[in-house]
Amino acid sequence: MGWTFNVANPDAATNAPAIAVVGIVFTVLSTLVVSLRLYVRSSIVKKISIDDWIIVVTWFLLFIFVAIKLAQTRWGLGLQNVEDMPPQNLYYFGLLAYASSLFYVCAILGFKLSILFTFFRMATDRLHRFSIVGLAVACSMFHFCFFVVQLRLCNPVAKQWDPAITDGTCIPTMPLYTAMAVITIIFEVLILLTPLPILLYSVFTPRKNLLIGAIYILSIFVCFIQIIRLLFITNQSSAIDTSPLLNWSVVEVSLGIIASSLLSLAPLFESFLASEIDTFKLSLKIDHAKMAVKRVRKESPTWQKITLLLGYGKLKGQKGENRSGSRLESRPNSRRKWEGRGGGEGSAGGLNFEMGIVKTTEVIISREGST
């Protein structure tokens, strides 16, 4: 028995495995990002805002959308040949497609609102904040209209998934989806322009600038996905062959969730750098490593002879005498002092040296009138 229900040929070619891989991989990836975001906002920042709740709801919408898409593969989604589609599967195939489209419309609105509210928290200028709120309201109204039209695309509504209903009317889907895709791309571009006043009049750390750049890259890619979906809709030959369109929809919503969460993850990188690079603990570990190396060198007679021969070393805290009888006194945390009793040139003599510095000092003591 094949994966698809009621299929005559159990070995009918299907893209169901690819659909499952795309859905599961991007759902897991978005789950990790949302989990990190909630951890940062609750444990590090200690404040969960409205944009965080919006992205959590968006993730649930994505999860349901992927679950419906996977269930739809059991009823014929992914079949490469339209002839292999069992007629008795059309009812549930159309019903699941109708349900998944509603969750998709709400999900793409969710990550856009999350991004806008994130920029709203960063904005300081009143006019800029008003423009962000206006854009959020306009985007919400557009997606609400899109949702209502998608909800009642046909009259009666059941005509969208029940092939047995022959009477009634439906809105032409090609012009509708084309117009909706174009308006969606326009809103994507406007959202990309939203943080420009913040970038022009504010100074961010390189970490935040890098994250904002990543948001731009992901948002631009989301715009390209919308263009790809638009081209697919205009060139679609069958209402059943929608697996590539649904795969791109999963990628679009997942990348939108990730893009809207990047700025919220900035404290996580700051905490990591503060705990691993900019703290005293790492400096202390480095000092311990240096001391261990010095101890090994100190206990190695061969190494001491080599360093003494090369002229590098450090006087130990001992007393010694030069050839002319002068006494060298070494005191802790103080300068070394010569107490001369006669003329001549100072010599290290039998003094012990310890590896530690790479500098030598030659001291010559003479009396007046001597050569």
Side-chain angles (χ1 to χ4, degrees):
M1 180 178 179
W3 175 257
T4 306
F5 291 141
N6 305 318
V7 68
N9 181 15
D11 298 327
T14 177
N15 293 327
I19 296 172
V21 168
V22 172
I24 294 174
V25 168
F26 280 93
T27 302
V28 171
L29 184 61
S30 60
T31 303
L32 293 176
V33 173
V34 173
S35 300
L36 284 176
R37 176 174 183 162
L38 293 178
Y39 166 76
V40 171
R41 299 293 296 173
S42 61
S43 300
I44 300 178
V45 181
K46 299 185 182 303
K47 182 180 180 182
I48 298 180
S49 303
I50 184 173
D51 53 328
D52 304 311
W53 292 117
I54 290 175
I55 210 63
V56 171
V57 174
T58 304
W59 180 86
F60 275 107
L61 294 173
L62 172 65
F63 180 81
I64 297 174
F65 175 70
V66 172
I68 294 175
K69 186 172 69 73
L70 295 179
Q72 195 179 2
T73 59
R74 299 284 282 174
W75 297 98
L77 178 64
L79 289 175
Q80 298 183 11
N81 298 320
V82 181
E83 294 79 10
D84 294 330
M85 183 68 175
Q88 58 269 36
N89 288 7
L90 292 177
Y91 180 90
Y92 291 104
F93 177 87
L95 181 60
L96 292 174
Y98 170 78
S100 65
S101 63
L102 300 178
F103 286 101
Y104 167 74
V105 173
C106 296
I108 59 176
L109 172 63
F111 72 77
K112 291 174 185 175
L113 288 180
S114 180
I115 292 176
L116 288 174
F117 277 107
T118 301
F119 290 146
F120 181 80
R121 287 193 287 107
M122 299 170 58
T124 56
D125 183 70
R126 179 179 299 179
L127 180 61
H128 187 208
R129 292 169 71 92
F130 280 147
S131 64
I132 294 176
V133 173
L135 182 59
V137 172
C139 189
S140 301
M141 293 178 62
F142 162 71
H143 284 83
F144 176 76
C145 296
F146 192 5
F147 180 84
V148 172
V149 172
Q150 188 68 37
L151 190 65
R152 300 188 60 87
L153 197 61
C154 294
N155 187 23
V157 178
K159 185 177 176 60
Q160 297 182 65
W161 64 82
D162 191 355
I165 301 176
T166 57
D167 56 344
T169 57
C170 292
I171 300 175
T173 56
M174 190 65 64
L176 174 65
Y177 289 149
T178 302
M180 293 297 182
V182 171
I183 298 175
T184 303
I185 293 173
I186 293 174
F187 276 110
E188 292 284 350
V189 174
L190 292 177
I191 292 174
L192 279 175
L193 299 177
T194 302
L196 287 182
I198 302 175
L199 296 175
L200 291 176
Y201 298 103
S202 300
V203 178
F204 289 112
T205 60
R207 183 186 65 258
K208 282 194 175 181
N209 289 331
L210 182 63
L211 293 176
I212 292 176
I215 291 176
Y216 268 94
I217 294 174
L218 290 178
S219 300
I220 291 173
F221 190 68
V222 170
C223 288
F224 280 123
I225 292 177
Q226 285 288 344
I227 296 174
I228 293 172
R229 293 182 76 255
L230 178 60
L231 295 176
F232 179 82
I233 291 173
T234 55
N235 297 324
Q236 188 176 2
S237 59
S238 174
I240 298 176
D241 185 21
T242 59
S243 56
L245 181 64
L246 294 177
N247 284 336
W248 282 114
S249 300
V250 173
V251 175
E252 176 190 6
V253 178
S254 301
L255 292 183
I257 291 174
I258 295 172
S260 63
S261 301
L262 286 180
L263 277 180
S264 299
L265 297 180
L268 180 65
F269 297 101
E270 182 180 2
S271 176
F272 174 78
L273 293 175
S275 61
E276 296 295 335
I277 297 179
D278 298 331
T279 61
F280 178 71
K281 287 185 178 181
L282 186 61
S283 300
L284 193 60
K285 292 179 181 179
I286 295 176
D287 290 340
H288 284 319
K290 289 181 179 179
M291 291 174 62
V293 174
K294 288 181 180 180
R295 187 161 51 249
V296 172
R297 291 175 176 176
K298 178 180 177 181
E299 295 174 356
S300 175
T302 305
W303 181 264
Q304 291 181 3
K305 291 179 181 179
I306 294 175
T307 54
L308 183 61
L309 179 63
L310 295 176
Y312 296 99
K314 185 172 66 175
L315 290 171
K316 298 180 68 174
Q318 299 178 355
K319 294 182 180 180
E321 291 188 358
N322 63 355
R323 288 178 301 181
S324 60
S326 298
R327 183 165 56 90
L328 173 65
E329 180 179 355
S330 177
R331 299 177 182 176
N333 300 325
S334 64
R335 294 185 178 179
R336 295 174 177 85
K337 182 172 63 178
W338 286 89
E339 296 179 1
R341 293 200 300 260
E345 180 177 333
S347 171
L351 295 175
N352 295 323
F353 283 78
E354 179 185 47
M355 180 62 185
I357 60 174
V358 288
K359 182 178 180 181
T360 58
T361 303
E362 183 179 7
V363 180
I364 300 177
I365 300 176
S366 63
R367 294 182 300 177
E368 184 178 357
S370 64
T371 58

